[in-house]
Amino acid sequence: MTYETRLFINGAYMAGNGPALPSHEPATGKLLAEVASADTGQVDLAVTTAHAAFAKWGKATPKERSRALLRIADAIEARADALADVESVNAGKPWRYVKAGELANVADVFRYFGTAARNVPGTPANGFRSSRHTSILRRDPLGVIASIAPWNYPLLMAAWKIAPAVAAGNTVVIKPSENTPLSLLFLASILAEFLPEGVVNVVTGDGPNVGQTLITHPLVRMISLTGDVRTGRAVLKAAAGDSIKRTHLELGGKAPVIVCADADVDNLVETLREASFYNAGQDCTAACRIFVDQSIAQEVTDKLSAMIGSLVYGAPERDDVEFGPLITAAQRERVAGFVDRARQAGGDIVAGGKTPEGAGYYYEPTLVAAPITTEIVQKEVFGPVLTITAFDNPETALGWANASEYGLASSVWSRDSTLAMNLTNRLEYGVTWVNTHGVFATEMPHGGMKNSGYGSDLSMQSLIDYTQVRHIMVAS
Ligand code: NAD
């Protein structure tokens, strides 16, 4: 396979002038491509190009923007096999899931925002000071959005950022993760078929240099990041530099799963098969820590252990695998380190807990029984690792969940709707599922609280996040 490795600026590919970064195949550790970074001048060129393109795109009608996005959605579907090939090999994801799940979602996100562009809700014009003063609200685009994407869902996270921003009339300079730049560089050529030059530009490179140069550029009006909490802090500092920039932060998570005594345990275990282990657990919403009523703790532990023993992982091109390798050797070492320290701290490794022999950055699906204070129960692991901790009372579990620094995703499991709603309403999390976990709808917002960040992806709420509300008052 050959890969597009050049930057995409002003509707054309351009070789990067900065240092080349290696892009690997996580399933084998082999080098896939060397991707040259953008240098400072090229980041500046991308932003000034986007700024120039905004003069026209910001004034395009909702109908024109909608048309482009709907066509992009169709083109992604038409090229889904080829896009899935690149995404699967570069991110180590099972091909069949990328094709049927993630690429279908990428197309759906462009299609949804294509429709949303023409349906922004508004407040009727009205007279508030007197009947002579008519107040009108406008929702205008902001200008150039700097988008910074992570490696765990390279195309999907790029779609979550590009589609609402462009639907609202902004222009974008996006930087993919240095680990997984290849699929977005390919997607750029599809976007360019339907969007005017300069509306979406892609620069490659690392975070501290290229990312930092992008987010501090004076012509950038808003920074949208999906990434680590540490990177979120860097964005907030950059946003308060020489110019004041709006920020949109989707950061880490550590999703609690509160399992009450009357929960449907078989449904729970079957749901966690995917909700905990999809993408090798490298998912900010992954159901990664189970808080279970002590009366059913042994049953849940035994059934989870059996389920984990039946999980199939391996080479992404195989038709039977449920997850593939971790993204890098460093990420695998990080995950193994959490498990080793949990073991030393007295945690019980109920299943897995080892690095398998052979090539590729694989790690066994793992279940650790550990007390609430253990590091592995508190910190984001971002791997195929589940913890289980028993509670004596649902209020205890609620307290544990809300004591977390994170506030992204959570779930509550009970057949008693009063108990379930009572807990759900008091959870400090942007997303709470009841009797399920990890199910997304493009029409519904996704976002966090506390150190998980703020701002919504998906839904009309996201499109609104990429606009500026303006009050116009007309005296007559
Ligand atoms: P990361 O923060 O290391 O990198 C994310 C992106 O930020 C990369 O493109 C990187 O190059 C860039 N970056 C790093 N430092 C930067 C800086 N100083 N200035 C500008 N850009 C910089 O995160 P990652 O390891 O790629 O992704 C994993 C993290 O993303 C996890 O914490 C995960 O929970 C989070 N995540 C959150 C969501 C969500 O919706 N909340 C979704 C997916 C992933």
Side-chain angles (χ1 to χ4, degrees), residues 148-149 151 175 178 212 226-228 231 251-252 284 380 382 446:
I148 306 280
W151 47 258
K175 191 193 84 61
E178 49 275 46
Q212 191 70 23
T226 299
D228 196 70
T231 313
L251 308 176
C284 51
E380 186 180 45
F382 232 54
H446 170 76

Side-chain angles (χ1 to χ4, degrees), residues 7 18-19 21 36-40 42-43 148 173-176 202-216:
L7 324 177
L21 297 179
S37 308
D39 68 8
T40 304
Q42 289 174 315
V43 174
I148 306 280
V173 180
I174 182 165
K175 191 193 84 61
V202 184
V203 294
T204 52
D206 67 357
N209 296 299
V210 180
Q212 191 70 23
T213 304
L214 173 59
I215 63 179
T216 49

Side-chain angles (χ1 to χ4, degrees), residues 17-365:
N17 293 332
L21 297 179
S23 202
H24 290 105
E25 177 181 19
T28 60
K30 284 186 194 142
L31 181 72
L32 285 175
E34 295 271 357
V35 178
S37 308
D39 68 8
T40 304
Q42 289 174 315
V43 174
D44 181 59
L45 179 65
V47 176
T48 50
T49 294
H51 183 69
F54 177 66
K56 262 187 134 175
W57 185 249
K59 293 187 178 61
T61 62
K63 184 164 85 175
E64 288 163 335
R65 290 185 232 135
S66 169
R67 200 176 160 91
L69 290 170
L70 294 175
R71 287 176 166 179
I72 288 168
D74 290 344
I76 289 169
E77 281 172 347
R79 310 285 298 278
D81 278 9
L83 284 164
D85 287 348
V86 181
E87 189 79 324
S88 169
V89 79
N90 196 194
K93 294 165 176 285
W95 190 91
R96 64 190 177 118
Y97 288 165
V98 178
K99 171 74 195 307
E102 294 180 28
L103 258 302
N105 280 332
V106 169
D108 187 53
V109 167
F110 278 98
R111 192 164 287 126
Y112 172 80
F113 284 105
T115 309
R118 303 181 77 173
N119 289 287
V120 178
T123 309
N126 220 330
F128 296 103
R129 287 301 299 262
S130 75
S131 58
R132 287 196 310 106
H133 292 88
T134 304
S135 285
I136 305 166
L137 287 187
R138 289 183 59 95
R139 282 211 165 269
D140 286 338
L142 298 157
V144 180
I145 314 291
S147 290
I148 306 280
W151 47 258
N152 59 345
Y153 295 95
L155 280 178
L156 192 58
M157 294 302 106
W160 285 16
K161 294 184 180 307
I162 294 169
V166 167
N170 303 287
T171 56
V172 174
V173 180
I174 182 165
K175 191 193 84 61
S177 165
E178 49 275 46
N179 294 323
T180 53
L182 302 177
S183 56
L184 181 57
L185 289 171
F186 178 0
L187 180 70
S189 66
I190 296 177
L191 302 179
E193 285 176 38
F194 307 100
L195 291 170
E197 288 170 4
V199 172
V200 176
N201 307 275
V202 184
V203 294
T204 52
D206 67 357
N209 296 299
V210 180
Q212 191 70 23
T213 304
L214 173 59
I215 63 179
T216 49
H217 196 289
L219 288 177
V220 164
R221 299 281 180 254
M222 170 170 167
I223 310 166
S224 167
L225 165 75
T226 299
D228 196 70
V229 178
R230 198 182 54 245
T231 313
R233 291 199 177 93
V235 164
L236 288 173
K237 281 191 191 135
D242 293 340
S243 58
I244 300 290
K245 303 181 196 307
R246 186 184 290 201
T247 54
H248 188 275
L249 302 176
E250 299 287 351
L251 308 176
K254 183 76 183 171
V257 177
I258 300 179
V259 184
C260 299
D262 65 345
D264 178 342
V265 173
D266 291 332
N267 181 27
L268 167 81
V269 171
E270 199 43 42
T271 303
L272 297 190
R273 185 175 194 102
E274 187 174 315
S276 300
F277 294 101
Y278 187 86
N279 209 32
Q282 299 168 114
D283 186 313
C284 51
T285 66
C288 58
R289 50 183 190 158
I290 315 297
F291 299 154
V292 60
D293 190 287
Q294 61 190 13
S295 65
I296 58 166
Q298 193 58 53
E299 179 194 359
V300 172
T301 304
D302 292 346
K303 288 184 170 171
L304 281 173
S305 181
M307 177 272 281
I308 288 171
S310 72
L311 280 166
V312 182
Y313 66 96
E317 66 274 16
R318 272 170 47 187
D319 275 345
D320 59 337
V321 294
E322 293 168 275
F323 66 89
L326 299 182
I327 192 70
T328 56
Q331 180 67 11
R332 179 170 70 174
E333 269 171 41
R334 189 173 171 273
V335 170
F338 272 108
V339 176
D340 291 345
R341 289 191 296 279
R343 192 184 273 118
Q344 283 155 20
D348 178 15
I349 314 300
V350 181
K354 292 192 295 299
T355 300
E357 298 283 322
Y361 312 133
Y362 295 97
Y363 194 76
E364 287 184 348

